[in-house]
């Protein structure tokens, strides 16, 4: 479905990605793990057309994404839930969801999809008229995910959805990711919580200073001593 080849991204002199290759098959959960500054967000931003790649290719169903506008990439069915719960604070929960569907104009199905998000996130339903800025951190994160689903993505990319959440909410978020996957979505998950991410992932990539150092099935990476030592706080 998505095939990233030899992707390079730089910011001025900083080489954030130095030639990475990632493959995502339909209906899989793929995770990208790595320490702070490894280049994880840069990879997602490049796929979304939010930063320019210096070199490489990003094929989505055999169509090249590099050079396309973010709006077109969204229209092709890719959605990004950015890091840090970037919801529109002054708008209500429901207005945020409506805006999530900005590339669509099928009013009736948009309504139905809002109801679907409320089924997935009952907390948001109770708070549909609340200003997003007054939601708790966890609720804002859920809203960010629900909004990402409003474009009916074929590929949903999430940048550290568990960041800063209390352990119980982290568990909830991972349950929700599994449920979204069960409903037929393909997911690219960027996480610092390597253990949880690898537990649910079909396949994983480990990024270190802009380069992939390991890849394999989620369970395989979980049992890899190198991964355990560097990312799982074990050994
Ligand atoms: P984190 O887990 O901390 O979010 P990350 O793996 O997502 O990290 P990136 O955000 O992709 O890493 O950053 C990779 C490198 O690129 C870092 O050294 C970072 O400082 C740098 N970088 C990212 N964005 C910019 C920017 N807009 N301008 C300059 N440097 C940047």
């Amino acid at each position: 479905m998505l095939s990233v080849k030899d992707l390079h991204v730089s910011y001025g002199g900083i080489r954030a990605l130095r030639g990475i290759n990632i493959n995502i098959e339909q209906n899989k959960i793929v995770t990208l793990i790595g320490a702070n500054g490894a280049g994880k967000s840069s990879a997602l931003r490049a796929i979304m057309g939010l930063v320019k790649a210096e070199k490489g290719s990003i094929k989505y169903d055999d169509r090249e994404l590099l050079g396309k506008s973010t709006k077109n990439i969204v229209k092709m069915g890719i959605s990004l839930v950015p890091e840090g719960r970037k919801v529109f604070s002054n708008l209500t929960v429901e207005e945020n969801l409506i805006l999530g569907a900005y590339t669509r104009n099928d009013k009736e199905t948009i309504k139905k999809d809002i109801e679907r998000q409320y089924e997935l996130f009952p907390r948001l339903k109770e708070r549909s008229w609340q200003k997003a800025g007054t939601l708790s951190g966890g609720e804002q994160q859920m809203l960010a995910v629900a909004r990402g689903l409003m474009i009916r993505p074929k590929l949903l990319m999430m940048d550290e959805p568990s960041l800063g959440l209390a352990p119980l909410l982290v568990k909830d978020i991972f349950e929700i990711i599994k449920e979204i996957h069960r409903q037929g979505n393909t997911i690219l998950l960027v996480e610092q919580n390597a253990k949880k991410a690898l537990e649910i992932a079909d396949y994983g990539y480990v990024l270190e200073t802009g380069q992939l150092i390991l890849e394999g099935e989620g369970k395989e990476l979980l049992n890899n001593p190198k991964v355990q030592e560097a990312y799982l706080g074990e050994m």
Side-chain angles (χ1 to χ4, degrees):
M1 178 183 222
L2 190 87
S3 164
V4 173
K5 287 219 171 81
D6 195 31
L7 181 65
H8 290 250
V9 170
S10 289
Y11 304 99
I14 300 168
R15 297 179 65 203
L17 291 177
R18 307 162 185 226
I20 64 164
N21 297 301
I22 291 177
N23 254 311
I24 302 175
E25 285 171 29
Q26 201 161 0
N27 293 119
K28 301 281 186 206
I29 301 181
V30 173
T31 188
L32 185 56
I33 61 172
N36 284 119
K40 305 180 299 295
S41 304
S42 298
L44 298 189
R45 289 202 293 259
I47 295 169
M48 240 21 244
L50 292 165
V51 293
K52 210 167 161 250
E54 262 179 304
K55 200 179 149 193
S57 101
I58 303 175
K59 289 254 170 78
Y60 173 67
D61 288 339
D62 288 327
R63 283 175 295 177
E64 179 60 56
L65 292 189
L66 289 188
K68 289 207 159 41
S69 69
T70 301
K71 189 168 182 190
N72 276 331
I73 292 170
V74 171
K75 275 191 174 157
M76 288 164 81
I78 304 183
S79 178
L80 171 66
V81 179
E83 187 178 347
R85 308 156 195 166
K86 296 205 173 59
V87 294
F88 300 104
S89 311
N90 289 324
L91 301 183
T92 66
V93 166
E94 190 140 324
E95 286 163 346
N96 266 275
L97 292 177
I98 292 168
L99 272 183
Y102 77 105
T103 56
R104 299 170 49 186
N105 42 27
D106 42 336
K107 273 210 170 118
E108 272 315 300
T109 42
I110 289 173
K111 255 193 189 157
K112 274 192 198 133
D113 281 358
I114 290 177
E115 286 310 315
R116 276 178 59 189
Q117 305 316 324
Y118 287 156
E119 278 166 30
L120 195 56
F121 304 94
R123 270 276 192 119
L124 295 182
K125 181 166 190 174
E126 289 164 19
R127 291 162 196 279
S128 61
W129 298 105
Q130 191 171 324
K131 288 257 162 73
T134 65
L135 295 172
S136 74
E139 289 162 356
Q140 287 187 27
Q141 187 59 51
M142 291 181 186
L143 178 57
V145 176
R147 195 183 56 191
L149 287 168
M150 284 300 295
I151 68 151
R152 291 198 174 184
K154 295 189 191 107
L155 172 64
L156 179 69
M157 305 197 293
M158 288 186 247
D159 197 352
E160 309 219 12
S162 77
L163 191 72
L165 299 184
L168 264 182
L169 275 182
V170 171
K171 200 166 159 262
D172 285 353
I173 274 282
F174 278 92
E175 283 305 319
I176 285 164
I177 296 171
K178 282 200 276 185
E179 177 58 30
I180 293 169
H181 173 242
R182 268 195 293 272
Q183 292 180 3
N185 286 284
T186 309
I187 294 172
L188 175 56
L189 174 64
V190 158
E191 261 297 335
Q192 281 208 43
N193 192 330
K195 183 164 189 285
K196 282 247 168 356
L198 290 173
E199 274 170 4
I200 65 164
D202 295 293
Y203 204 80
Y205 293 89
V206 183
L207 193 59
E208 221 173 75
T209 53
Q211 282 172 317
L212 292 172
I213 54 151
L214 271 175
E215 63 174 270
E217 285 177 13
K219 301 232 157 43
E220 205 181 295
L221 289 179
L222 260 184
N223 292 320
N224 181 308
K226 255 196 195 163
V227 175
Q228 289 179 346
E229 189 179 6
Y231 300 103
L232 306 178
E234 285 172 27
M235 293 290 283

